[in-house]
Amino acid sequence: MAWRMPHESDAHERTWMAFPRTGITLGEGAEWQETAYRAWTDTALAIAEFEPVTMLVDPSQTARAHDMLGTSVEIVETPLDEYWMRDFGPTFVVDDERPGTLGAVDWIFNGWGSPEWAEWQVSAGVARIVAERVGAELISSVLVNEGGGIHVDGEGTVLLTETVQLDPHRNPYADKARVEAEMERTIGAHKAVWLPRGLTRDYDEFGTKGHVDIVAAFAAPGRVLLHRQDDPGHPDHEVTRDLKTLLQAQTDAAGRPLEVIDVPAPATLRDDEGFVDWSYLNHLVVNDGVVVCGFGEEEADARARDILEEAYPGRRAVTVDARPIFARGGGIHCITQQQPVVRKGA
């Protein structure tokens, strides 16, 4: 077997999502909860303009999901507690030695390090349910990891963060060599580029401790998009400068130096909780398009669409207001998971 996680710009069979349900992440009050339902719905409908979407829905939310999503999105009822599909769902891979074979990596999910507030035990079993539904070969992993903690170029390179995979609340006995060996076994990445940390807000109580998909992403082999915070009053100003210096000194699996493409942050620096981590890096590449986080800043949102359309030639960028998603700890990439098309043999 030669499992390989394709680049996100490769053709998709569909995108998977999970619909919000009541719990600590959703928050209190009908009006506030509605902002989450609306944001997840808007994201699904935007993706559905480009490719099929399947939404997992807890039985408690079935009627609401049907009402909001209509007939544009396939709804599959299954018990959930959390609904960040990128993180607890399967990471899909293909086998280049067996054309037409789809694999699904089932990482161990413990709610981003098993914090006291997290509810995750039910959703931790979703990867197996999805794998069975699509007929994918299940690849069980002993590594505690989330889909938002990795980003690949599709040709053997993976971006990781030391504070995620080496987090003692996730993998207390792991070291880089063990993590890298598991990345090669499960997703075919034989070159790891380690970031020392992620964005500042991501280390708050409800953060992931440094998921890479909010700060950096491969636009293509050899080309990395990187969040840039221009305001020196924001702590991520220094963080993103240091990350750029590090990435510019790295090579990929093919030995190419990494070209770094800056994606400036929106102008907003703070919300009611402190410094924001609003980032356009948490986008989703879809068939013929890019679904981009929007932050209610017309000029900055438009600039991000332009940068991403240039980074992914031939794709149309569309914006979805992601502020309600970020207020709950993530963005559009965090709530989605792409399933690649598997190519049949000759």
mmCIF file of all heavy atoms in Angstrom, residues 1 59 131 137-138 142 174 235 264 295 298 300-302 343:
data_model
loop_
_atom_site.group_PDB
_atom_site.id
_atom_site.type_symbol
_atom_site.label_atom_id
_atom_site.label_comp_id
_atom_site.label_asym_id
_atom_site.label_seq_id
_atom_site.Cartn_x
_atom_site.Cartn_y
_atom_site.Cartn_z
ATOM 1 N N MET A 1 0.837 -1.199 0.000
ATOM 2 C CA MET A 1 0.000 0.000 0.000
ATOM 3 C C MET A 1 0.872 1.250 0.000
ATOM 4 O O MET A 1 1.923 1.282 0.639
ATOM 5 C CB MET A 1 -0.929 0.002 1.218
ATOM 6 C CG MET A 1 -2.002 -1.074 1.190
ATOM 7 S SD MET A 1 -3.068 -1.017 2.636
ATOM 8 C CE MET A 1 -1.917 -1.535 3.911
ATOM 9 N N PRO A 59 -29.677 13.674 15.491
ATOM 10 C CA PRO A 59 -31.137 13.564 15.421
ATOM 11 C C PRO A 59 -31.884 14.733 16.064
ATOM 12 O O PRO A 59 -33.001 15.058 15.636
ATOM 13 C CB PRO A 59 -31.416 12.251 16.162
ATOM 14 C CG PRO A 59 -30.174 11.441 15.959
ATOM 15 C CD PRO A 59 -29.045 12.431 15.974
ATOM 16 N N ALA A 131 -16.281 6.345 6.791
ATOM 17 C CA ALA A 131 -15.486 5.420 5.975
ATOM 18 C C ALA A 131 -16.346 4.266 5.471
ATOM 19 O O ALA A 131 -16.276 3.882 4.294
ATOM 20 C CB ALA A 131 -14.301 4.905 6.782
ATOM 21 N N GLU A 137 -11.281 2.142 2.737
ATOM 22 C CA GLU A 137 -10.502 1.295 3.637
ATOM 23 C C GLU A 137 -10.106 2.113 4.862
ATOM 24 O O GLU A 137 -9.528 3.196 4.735
ATOM 25 C CB GLU A 137 -9.256 0.766 2.933
ATOM 26 C CG GLU A 137 -9.539 -0.222 1.827
ATOM 27 C CD GLU A 137 -8.276 -0.896 1.308
ATOM 28 O OE1 GLU A 137 -7.272 -0.922 2.065
ATOM 29 O OE2 GLU A 137 -8.294 -1.379 0.170
ATOM 30 N N LEU A 138 -10.396 1.606 6.034
ATOM 31 C CA LEU A 138 -10.091 2.327 7.262
ATOM 32 C C LEU A 138 -8.624 2.142 7.633
ATOM 33 O O LEU A 138 -8.115 1.018 7.654
ATOM 34 C CB LEU A 138 -10.979 1.845 8.397
ATOM 35 C CG LEU A 138 -10.965 2.726 9.650
ATOM 36 C CD1 LEU A 138 -11.728 4.019 9.388
ATOM 37 C CD2 LEU A 138 -11.587 1.983 10.833
ATOM 38 N N VAL A 142 -2.634 5.385 15.773
ATOM 39 C CA VAL A 142 -2.452 5.484 17.221
ATOM 40 C C VAL A 142 -2.122 6.915 17.622
ATOM 41 O O VAL A 142 -1.917 7.196 18.799
ATOM 42 C CB VAL A 142 -1.338 4.541 17.707
ATOM 43 C CG1 VAL A 142 -1.702 3.087 17.434
ATOM 44 C CG2 VAL A 142 -0.002 4.885 17.031
ATOM 45 N N ALA A 174 5.127 10.936 22.355
ATOM 46 C CA ALA A 174 5.585 11.105 20.974
ATOM 47 C C ALA A 174 6.790 12.029 20.895
ATOM 48 O O ALA A 174 6.997 12.902 21.735
ATOM 49 C CB ALA A 174 4.453 11.663 20.114
ATOM 50 N N PRO A 235 -0.084 40.598 18.856
ATOM 51 C CA PRO A 235 1.010 39.649 19.132
ATOM 52 C C PRO A 235 1.353 38.758 17.941
ATOM 53 O O PRO A 235 2.487 38.256 17.856
ATOM 54 C CB PRO A 235 0.486 38.823 20.312
ATOM 55 C CG PRO A 235 -0.992 39.044 20.337
ATOM 56 C CD PRO A 235 -1.207 40.416 19.803
ATOM 57 N N PRO A 264 -2.499 39.002 3.925
ATOM 58 C CA PRO A 264 -2.666 39.914 5.059
ATOM 59 C C PRO A 264 -3.964 39.669 5.836
ATOM 60 O O PRO A 264 -5.004 39.331 5.252
ATOM 61 C CB PRO A 264 -2.677 41.299 4.401
ATOM 62 C CG PRO A 264 -1.984 41.105 3.095
ATOM 63 C CD PRO A 264 -2.355 39.718 2.652
ATOM 64 N N PHE A 295 -14.987 38.699 6.916
ATOM 65 C CA PHE A 295 -15.000 39.311 8.244
ATOM 66 C C PHE A 295 -15.683 40.673 8.253
ATOM 67 O O PHE A 295 -15.426 41.501 9.133
ATOM 68 C CB PHE A 295 -13.566 39.409 8.769
ATOM 69 C CG PHE A 295 -12.882 38.072 8.860
ATOM 70 C CD1 PHE A 295 -11.966 37.679 7.892
ATOM 71 C CD2 PHE A 295 -13.183 37.177 9.881
ATOM 72 C CE1 PHE A 295 -11.346 36.436 7.943
ATOM 73 C CE2 PHE A 295 -12.576 35.940 9.941
ATOM 74 C CZ PHE A 295 -11.653 35.558 8.978
ATOM 75 N N GLU A 298 -14.997 44.993 3.667
ATOM 76 C CA GLU A 298 -15.143 44.864 2.223
ATOM 77 C C GLU A 298 -13.797 44.865 1.501
ATOM 78 O O GLU A 298 -13.531 44.015 0.645
ATOM 79 C CB GLU A 298 -16.019 45.996 1.688
ATOM 80 C CG GLU A 298 -16.321 45.898 0.211
ATOM 81 C CD GLU A 298 -17.294 46.971 -0.244
ATOM 82 O OE1 GLU A 298 -17.929 47.617 0.614
ATOM 83 O OE2 GLU A 298 -17.417 47.164 -1.477
ATOM 84 N N ALA A 300 -10.627 44.352 2.697
ATOM 85 C CA ALA A 300 -9.750 43.236 3.060
ATOM 86 C C ALA A 300 -10.286 41.913 2.516
ATOM 87 O O ALA A 300 -9.523 41.061 2.040
ATOM 88 C CB ALA A 300 -9.600 43.169 4.572
ATOM 89 N N ASP A 301 -11.604 41.723 2.592
ATOM 90 C CA ASP A 301 -12.191 40.490 2.067
ATOM 91 C C ASP A 301 -11.954 40.372 0.564
ATOM 92 O O ASP A 301 -11.646 39.288 0.056
ATOM 93 C CB ASP A 301 -13.690 40.453 2.363
ATOM 94 C CG ASP A 301 -14.010 40.250 3.844
ATOM 95 O OD1 ASP A 301 -13.081 40.022 4.639
ATOM 96 O OD2 ASP A 301 -15.207 40.325 4.203
ATOM 97 N N ALA A 302 -12.094 41.486 -0.159
ATOM 98 C CA ALA A 302 -11.871 41.471 -1.611
ATOM 99 C C ALA A 302 -10.410 41.197 -1.935
ATOM 100 O O ALA A 302 -10.098 40.457 -2.883
ATOM 101 C CB ALA A 302 -12.320 42.796 -2.218
ATOM 102 N N ARG A 343 -9.178 7.891 -8.921
ATOM 103 C CA ARG A 343 -9.043 7.583 -10.337
ATOM 104 C C ARG A 343 -9.013 6.070 -10.561
ATOM 105 O O ARG A 343 -8.258 5.358 -9.894
ATOM 106 C CB ARG A 343 -7.757 8.211 -10.880
ATOM 107 C CG ARG A 343 -7.646 9.705 -10.624
ATOM 108 C CD ARG A 343 -8.740 10.483 -11.315
ATOM 109 N NE ARG A 343 -8.575 11.928 -11.130
ATOM 110 C CZ ARG A 343 -9.474 12.818 -11.533
ATOM 111 N NH1 ARG A 343 -10.589 12.413 -12.109
ATOM 112 N NH2 ARG A 343 -9.259 14.104 -11.337
#
